[in-house]
């Protein structure tokens, strides 16, 4: 396992032979001078923290191996908390001058004038405000030992790619929500909303709630633009931006797709920033996946380089649920629910035929979350194949034959990115306009292989519901989630942040630097509890 600091431009990789047990959760890995462990000498008192930079500043982790071979790890004293009345929870007693181990957020506050939020008059409708130093803990599990499931990357998040990398994370993330002090006069705000990449349930929901929240702050309706057909809509003459009014977005959440249209790639960042400056935009909201958020990060960088003061805020969208750090992406629950319908239909088809096989291909280029979750939820799947785990076609064929011999039929669920190891040469390779790998179509290959192995003595029903799933409106939970994400994005922009995205992390809404979440796709842990629960439930063997 290789280790690197999340968000680092040129990460230093830690040798896999150096295994340092995770620090106790009452200690934070990062800032103080390293102390030797395993020594008979008593450890010196921890030094005072250095003079701080801005809230959220990042300090590299000091973890490694001493010249004498002893492992070293740096620790800081536990934070101090004060008890509050009425069981209000823990409140940090640390002063604002203390250094914090949090995900760093960029802001434009030195260029902006602070002022009271328009919601101060009624204390945000009685709900109060979120403080800039409200934090959400990123590390929530204390492991007994390195042998515990999931303990191998206790202080970060693993990528599970061609080379397993553990991105070391700070202890905290900044909480999302409305601030008492804002850094933009709502009457002077000009904002734009754009959707990027493939379709996903919930796009219209997020657009709607960004518009509604901007209006709640007092932004004039004429000052909210919708960019047509992705980022190229900033500068292409064929499609002009539209004005997004409350009336225009009313009821749009009941429809699938995106009212603004979308496209992949084609982003001329310099030209986009030129238009942002020309149109006087000071807030841009980018709803997209890894590619869309990468573009948002590039726009924020170019704005800074060009001296354009504009808050760029992303909303992570991925039907595959493959955004790092985020508990789940909007649209994922809807996709799982609809994918389950396809699996149930495959069960009916397979069980109604002699030696029937229901073969369902679901979304999941690099991450098998939809296939795994839908298989678990449906309770009808006999075999689940995901991109994270390679398989051998011969072993798969043999097992499917055994299942048919035992129960008369078999249901197979596979993610679109599964089995690329068995179809080498069938794919053109390379990436699409969004930077996603171009894959060989695994579905027909598995279908033909099963038919050949069973010598035609089977009835295979092949189902690919991909475009049906992408185009539907959201289910209840996703609809609520989209509302919170849209509101949180606007609150973040008014708080003066830029180059950030908003999402649910450890069941709490937080702001994250875009650079952290775009480093790699989030993937299913092949040795993790979720995958283990599924293969245990369906009795699936190892096909590799």
């Amino acid at each position: 396992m290789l280790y690197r600091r999340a968000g680092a431009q040129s990460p230093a990789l830690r040798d896999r032979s150096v295994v340092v047990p995770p620090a106790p959760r009452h200690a934070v890995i990062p800032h103080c001078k390293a102390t030797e462990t395993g020594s008979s000498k008593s450890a010196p008192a921890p030094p005072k923290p250095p003079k701080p930079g801005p809230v959220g500043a990042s300090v590299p982790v000091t973890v490694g191996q001493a010249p004498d071979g002893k492992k070293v790890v740096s620790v800081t004293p536990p934070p101090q908390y004060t008890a509050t009345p009425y069981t209000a929870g823990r409140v940090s007693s640390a002063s604002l001058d203390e250094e914090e181990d949090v995900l760093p957020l960029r802001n434009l506050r030195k260029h902006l004038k602070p002022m009271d939020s328009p919601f101060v008059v009624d204390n945000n409708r009685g709900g109060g405000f979120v403080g800039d130093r409200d934090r959400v803990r990123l590390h929530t599990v204390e492991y007994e030992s390195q042998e515990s499931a999931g303990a191998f990357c206790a202080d970060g998040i693993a990528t599970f790619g061609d080379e397993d990398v553990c991105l070391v994370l700070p202890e905290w993330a900044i909480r999302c929500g409305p601030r008492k002090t804002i850094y933009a006069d709502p009457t002077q705000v000009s904002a734009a909303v754009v959707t990027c990449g493939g379709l996903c349930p919930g796009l219209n929901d997020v657009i709607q709630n960004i518009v509604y929240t901007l209006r709640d702050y007092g932004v004039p309706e004429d000052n909210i633009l919708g960019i047509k057909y992705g980022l190229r809509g900033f500068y292409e003459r064929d499609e002009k931006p539209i004005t997004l009014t409350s009336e225009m977005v009313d009821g749009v959440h009941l429809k699938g797709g995106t009212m603004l249209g979308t496209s992949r790639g084609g982003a001329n960042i310099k030209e986009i920033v030129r238009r942002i400056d020309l149109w006087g935009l000071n807030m841009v909201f980018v709803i997209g996946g890894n590619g869309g958020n990468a573009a948002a990060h590039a726009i924020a960088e170019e704005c800074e380089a060009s001296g354009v003061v504009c808050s760029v805020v992303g909303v992570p969208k991925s039907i595959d649920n493959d955004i790092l750090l985020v508990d789940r992406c909007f649209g994922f629950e809807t996709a799982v629910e609809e994918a389950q319908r396809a699996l149930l239909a495959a069960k009916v088809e397979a069980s109604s035929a002699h030696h029937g096989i229901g073969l369902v291909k679901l979304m999941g280029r690099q991450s098998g979350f939809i296939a795994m979750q839908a298989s678990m939820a449906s309770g009808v799947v006999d075999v689940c194949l995901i991109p994270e785990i390679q398989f051998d076609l011969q072993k798969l064929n043999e097992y499917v034959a055994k299942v048919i011999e035992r129960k008369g039929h078999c249901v197979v669920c596979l993610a679109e990115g599964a089995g690329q190891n068995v179809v080498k040469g069938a794919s053109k390779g390379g990436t699409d306009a969004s930077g996603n790998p171009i894959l060989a179509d695994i579905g027909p290959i598995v279908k033909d292989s099963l038919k050949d192995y069973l010598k035609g003595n089977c009835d295979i029903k092949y189902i690919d519901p991909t475009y049906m799933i992408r185009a539907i409106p959201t289910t209840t939970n996703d609809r609520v989630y989209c509302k919170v994400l849209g509101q949180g994005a606007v609150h973040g922009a008014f708080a003066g942040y830029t180059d950030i995205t908003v999402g649910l992390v450890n069941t709490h809404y937080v702001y994250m630097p875009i650079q952290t979440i775009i480093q790699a796709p989030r993937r299913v842990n092949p040795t993790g509890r979720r995958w283990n629960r599924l293969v245990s439930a369906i009795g699936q063997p190892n096909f590799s």
Side-chain angles (χ1 to χ4, degrees):
M1 178 69 66
L2 301 177
Y3 289 79
R4 70 166 179 256
R5 183 74 178 185
Q9 293 282 2
S10 301
L13 299 180
R14 216 186 327 156
D15 185 85
R16 69 174 68 240
S17 63
V18 181
V19 180
V20 180
R25 279 292 154 257
H26 59 267
V28 182
I29 292 186
H31 311 306
C32 301
K33 182 178 178 181
T35 58
E36 184 177 296
T37 61
S39 170
S40 60
K41 297 179 181 179
S42 59
K48 294 181 180 179
K51 288 289 184 180
V55 172
S58 178
V59 179
V61 174
T62 306
V63 181
Q65 193 166 17
D68 60 0
K70 292 187 173 66
K71 299 168 186 176
V72 295
V73 61
S74 61
V75 298
T76 56
Q80 300 299 312
Y81 294 92
T82 61
T84 56
Y86 311 115
T87 63
R90 300 194 309 171
V91 176
S92 175
S93 60
S95 72
L96 286 172
D97 293 331
E98 285 189 0
E99 184 179 36
E100 297 182 65
D101 184 31
V102 299
L103 275 174
L105 301 181
R106 294 170 63 180
N107 68 69
L108 302 170
R109 292 178 179 180
K110 65 181 180 181
H111 304 292
L112 305 171
K113 181 181 178 181
M115 63 190 71
D116 285 343
S117 166
F119 307 134
V120 166
V121 291
D122 59 359
N123 193 30
N124 191 28
R125 298 178 175 85
F129 296 90
V130 171
D132 273 347
R133 295 184 67 256
D134 285 5
R135 301 169 297 178
V136 172
R137 190 180 290 277
L138 296 177
H139 309 291
T140 57
V141 180
E142 180 76 26
Y143 296 98
E144 178 185 80
S145 69
Q146 288 291 330
E147 284 71 41
S148 294
F152 60 90
C153 190
D155 291 302
I157 185 167
T159 61
F160 303 112
D162 294 333
E163 185 174 39
D164 290 352
V165 174
C166 181
L167 304 177
V168 181
L169 295 170
E171 189 74 7
W172 307 95
I174 298 297
R175 189 180 173 204
C176 163
R179 267 57 177 172
K180 192 172 185 178
T181 300
I182 62 173
Y183 292 84
D185 181 351
T187 63
Q188 302 301 313
V189 165
S190 291
V193 186
V194 60
T195 52
C196 311
L199 290 183
C200 174
L203 288 167
N204 282 333
D205 302 66
V206 177
I207 294 169
Q208 181 191 66
N209 285 282
I210 288 175
V211 172
Y212 283 165
T213 310
L214 287 169
R215 290 291 298 123
D216 287 345
Y217 269 95
V219 177
E221 286 194 331
D222 292 344
N223 291 6
I224 307 174
L225 298 181
I227 308 300
K228 297 287 286 182
Y229 298 107
L231 293 167
R232 65 186 62 182
F234 273 99
Y235 50 83
E236 285 195 350
R237 295 183 179 180
D238 294 343
E239 294 294 340
K240 303 295 183 184
I242 62 174
T243 301
L244 293 175
T245 64
S246 298
E247 182 179 358
M248 180 177 290
V249 300
D250 181 32
V252 73
H253 64 290
L254 302 176
K255 303 175 183 177
T258 165
M259 64 177 292
L260 297 177
T262 186
S263 63
R264 295 185 184 275
N268 184 331
I269 301 300
K270 288 186 179 293
E271 188 62 25
I272 290 172
V273 172
R274 193 179 79 82
R275 293 304 175 99
I276 289 173
D277 189 27
L278 181 66
W279 296 342
L281 297 176
N282 41 29
M283 293 183 186
V284 172
F285 301 96
V286 181
I287 309 169
N290 279 304
N293 274 272
H297 172 64
I299 292 170
E301 293 272 284
E302 183 61 26
C303 282
E304 183 177 12
S306 304
V308 176
V309 180
C310 178
S311 289
V312 182
V313 181
V315 180
K317 167 209 67 99
S318 171
I319 201 168
D320 292 350
N321 201 38
D322 63 353
I323 303 293
L324 273 183
L325 198 55
V326 178
D327 287 358
R328 76 174 193 275
C329 298
F330 74 82
F332 172 68
E333 281 199 4
T334 303
V336 169
E337 184 67 28
E338 195 67 13
Q340 183 185 211
R341 297 178 190 275
L343 292 171
L344 295 176
K347 172 71 171 181
V348 172
E349 290 285 354
S351 61
S352 300
H354 178 65
H355 291 177
I357 299 175
L359 181 60
V360 181
K361 186 181 79 171
L362 299 175
M363 295 85 73
R365 281 193 185 90
Q366 297 170 276
S367 305
F369 287 103
I370 292 180
M372 177 181 67
Q373 200 83 341
S375 295
M376 190 70 168
S378 68
V380 301
V381 171
D382 300 296
V383 176
C384 179
L385 305 173
I386 60 175
E388 292 84 350
I389 301 176
Q390 296 184 354
F391 66 89
D392 180 81
L393 268 177
Q394 180 66 20
K395 291 182 179 180
L396 171 65
N397 293 338
E398 292 171 357
Y399 182 72
V400 171
K402 289 180 181 178
V403 173
I404 292 176
E405 183 179 354
R406 184 178 76 248
K407 57 191 287 190
H409 65 277
C410 182
V411 177
V412 180
C413 175
L414 71 159
E416 61 181 314
Q420 296 303 300
N421 61 300
V422 302
V423 293
K424 289 181 179 178
S427 171
K428 298 179 181 177
T431 58
D432 62 16
S434 294
N436 300 308
I438 297 175
L439 306 172
D441 192 348
I442 185 63
I445 293 173
V446 170
K447 177 184 175 183
D448 292 342
S449 177
L450 287 169
K451 184 169 287 189
D452 291 343
Y453 182 81
L454 296 170
K455 296 180 171 53
N457 185 26
C458 61
D459 188 351
I460 302 179
K461 296 297 190 296
Y462 178 54
I463 302 172
D464 183 354
T466 298
Y467 293 105
M468 296 174 64
I469 294 173
R470 291 175 8 141
I472 64 174
T474 50
T475 54
T476 304
N477 281 346
D478 265 335
R479 187 162 294 164
V480 173
Y481 189 30
C482 290
K483 289 181 185 296
V484 181
L485 293 178
Q487 293 168 2
V490 176
H491 293 321
F494 271 101
Y497 293 122
T498 189
D499 197 13
I500 65 166
T501 193
V502 57
L504 191 68
V505 178
N506 294 333
T507 72
H508 293 275
Y509 294 92
V510 303
Y511 294 126
M512 299 160 283
I514 291 178
Q515 191 178 5
T516 295
I517 69 165
I518 63 175
Q519 293 181 88
R522 180 186 179 211
R523 294 161 67 90
V524 174
N525 180 358
T527 60
R529 291 294 300 127
R530 279 193 284 187
W531 177 250
N532 181 260
R533 290 187 193 104
L534 173 63
V535 295
S536 297
I538 66 178
Q540 177 172 317
N542 186 351
F543 299 127
S544 60

